[in-house]
Amino acid sequence: MNRSDAQPSAGRALATLQLTAISDLDTLDFDTIIDVRSPAEFAEDHVPGAINLPVLSNEERARVGTIYKQVSAFDARKLGAALVARNAAAHLEGPLAGLKGGWRPLVYCWRGGQRSGSFGAILAQVGWRVTLLSGGYKSWRRLVVDAVQEAPVASPVVVLDGYTGSAKTEVLLAAAAQGAQVIDLEGLANHRGSLFGAMPGGQPSQKAFEGRIARALSRLDPARPVLVEAESSRVGNVAVPRRLWAAMCAAPRVRLAVPRAVRADYTARSYAEALAAPGRLAETIGLLRRLYSADTIAEWLRLAEAGEHAELAEALMAVHYDPRYARQRARHPTPESREIAVPRLSPDDLPEIARKVIAVAEL
């Protein structure tokens, strides 16, 4: 992480900071990280922890861009300056109004250019100690791409495997609570990785998902293994980055061997809220119509309507989930695998299962 002073304004000097590693983000000592890009740009992805104070709205940014291409750069800059000043005034009178003189923001835009420089200069005129992120969001994104697409995973990867309903995510989290290194892909993707896996809040964009993974990778101790739950190459609508996916495919596995009936009961309990949502269960089953016969779909809908969720889960496992999982395993054979017999999946059983997983993973 490199710092330097930029040209002074009439108020305080504008400093610049350059991120040189993902881990730099954990050492920043600013009061607020401000992303001045448009709301649409911010929503797709942003530096973790940043707030959005746009100096151009989505519509204003499009308007300035059109004038730049169709009229002239001068006219676009003139309009942009007026809009930035107007929006900056709204921020000063709104969310920034109560801040004291010692407040220290880090400000960035797309690539550390006019938007962040203009807004930073206005804040510096007030008297705040403003730092601009050199290279803007693009500098952060470049570090993320290098981390997840180019650099090898630093720690030895061990995959926690098991058929659907084996409580892999809960065991993974229990292992983390006991001090194990883990990467919770479903947590980072905000999705349970199945037909019924959608979670409140929706999923992050692909770029944001990769940023979350990059931060998790940057915090690993290379001397210790990292546990990752077995997933397909996609978790909901986002894809596992290339380097991590390759490491997972080649990694040894710890398999939870859980009877199907136990898995079905566990699934019915853990998905109780989603299963209770009116119409959601039938809608999700309907997504499988192109794969299975009308009689099979009708039976699953009957079980759903009757509230026989454990029976439905077991039927789906027997016909849909377990065969798909077996095919996926066959496509990605692993160098070694250890199995842990799990006869029960009550909440009280999870810490002991996690302890066994950690012991096997660290052999």
Side-chain angles (χ1 to χ4, degrees):
M1 182 167 56
N2 299 322
R3 296 174 184 264
S4 64
D5 289 331
Q7 293 298 314
S9 66
R12 290 184 176 272
L14 287 177
T16 60
L17 175 144
Q18 183 174 8
L19 295 176
T20 57
I22 294 290
S23 57
D24 288 348
L25 206 61
D26 293 326
T27 63
L28 296 181
D29 56 357
F30 298 99
D31 297 311
T32 312
I33 302 175
I34 300 176
D35 185 325
V36 302
R37 297 176 304 154
S38 68
E41 293 172 287
F42 182 83
E44 182 183 22
D45 189 29
H46 52 267
V47 174
I51 65 168
N52 189 210
L53 296 181
V55 295
L56 294 176
S57 69
N58 298 334
E59 296 77 13
E60 290 167 344
R61 177 171 174 259
R63 181 182 168 198
V64 170
T66 298
I67 292 174
Y68 186 92
K69 292 178 181 179
Q70 298 182 359
V71 183
S72 73
F74 174 80
D75 287 295
R77 286 196 296 269
K78 185 169 63 174
L79 173 61
L83 294 172
V84 167
R86 188 179 306 153
N87 290 323
H91 296 323
L92 286 167
E93 294 172 343
L96 306 182
L99 298 174
K100 305 300 181 183
W103 177 63
R104 296 179 61 245
L106 174 66
V107 180
Y108 72 90
C109 59
W110 175 250
R111 52 184 155 198
Q114 291 182 334
R115 286 184 286 178
S116 60
S118 299
F119 189 59
I122 293 171
L123 297 184
Q125 288 284 349
V126 174
W128 287 312
R129 292 174 292 170
V130 181
T131 299
L132 302 182
L133 178 60
S134 180
Y137 165 78
K138 287 189 72 175
S139 66
W140 165 254
R141 177 62 186 165
R142 192 176 304 114
L143 291 174
V144 169
V145 171
D146 287 344
V148 302
Q149 303 292 356
E150 305 300 333
V153 179
S155 295
V157 174
V158 178
V159 172
L160 180 61
D161 201 357
Y163 283 113
T164 298
S166 297
K168 296 185 295 293
T169 299
E170 288 72 15
V171 171
L172 196 74
L173 297 179
Q178 295 178 32
Q181 285 196 136
V182 308
I183 294 179
D184 178 13
L185 290 174
E186 292 188 358
L188 297 177
N190 200 42
H191 196 281
R192 289 180 171 181
S194 68
L195 280 171
F196 302 93
M199 297 178 68
Q203 291 195 258
S205 70
Q206 180 65 35
K207 289 181 178 179
F209 179 55
E210 290 173 1
R212 294 176 182 184
I213 291 176
R215 292 200 78 188
L217 291 172
S218 74
R219 293 166 174 165
L220 294 178
D221 177 356
R224 301 172 58 212
V226 57
L227 281 166
V228 182
E229 181 177 344
E231 298 284 354
S232 67
S233 60
R234 301 189 69 85
V235 186
N237 292 322
V238 293
V240 178
R242 179 172 63 90
R243 280 289 193 173
L244 180 55
W245 175 243
M248 291 169 61
C249 290
R253 300 196 167 215
V254 180
R255 289 198 173 107
L256 303 179
V258 188
R260 185 180 292 157
V262 174
R263 291 189 283 122
D265 286 339
Y266 170 81
T267 299
R269 295 196 309 270
S270 61
Y271 282 80
E273 184 175 344
L275 295 174
R280 180 176 176 183
L281 193 48
E283 181 181 347
T284 305
I285 291 171
L287 298 176
L288 299 173
R289 289 185 185 279
R290 62 184 179 84
L291 299 176
Y292 301 104
S293 70
D295 288 344
T296 298
I297 296 296
E299 173 59 14
W300 290 345
L301 290 173
R302 185 193 67 77
L303 292 171
E305 180 67 23
E308 298 177 8
H309 295 152
E311 293 80 358
L312 173 62
E314 188 164 2
L316 284 167
M317 288 171 184
V319 176
H320 179 66
Y321 286 110
D322 289 4
R324 291 184 72 215
Y325 220 87
R327 288 193 296 270
Q328 183 178 336
R329 282 178 176 174
R331 286 196 301 268
H332 302 288
T334 54
E336 59 181 288
S337 178
R338 298 286 297 275
E339 189 169 278
I340 297 174
V342 179
R344 299 180 305 276
L345 280 177
S346 73
D348 291 340
D349 294 319
L350 297 180
E352 177 60 18
I353 298 169
R355 187 192 65 76
K356 292 179 180 179
V357 168
I358 293 171
V360 172
E362 294 182 346
L363 284 178

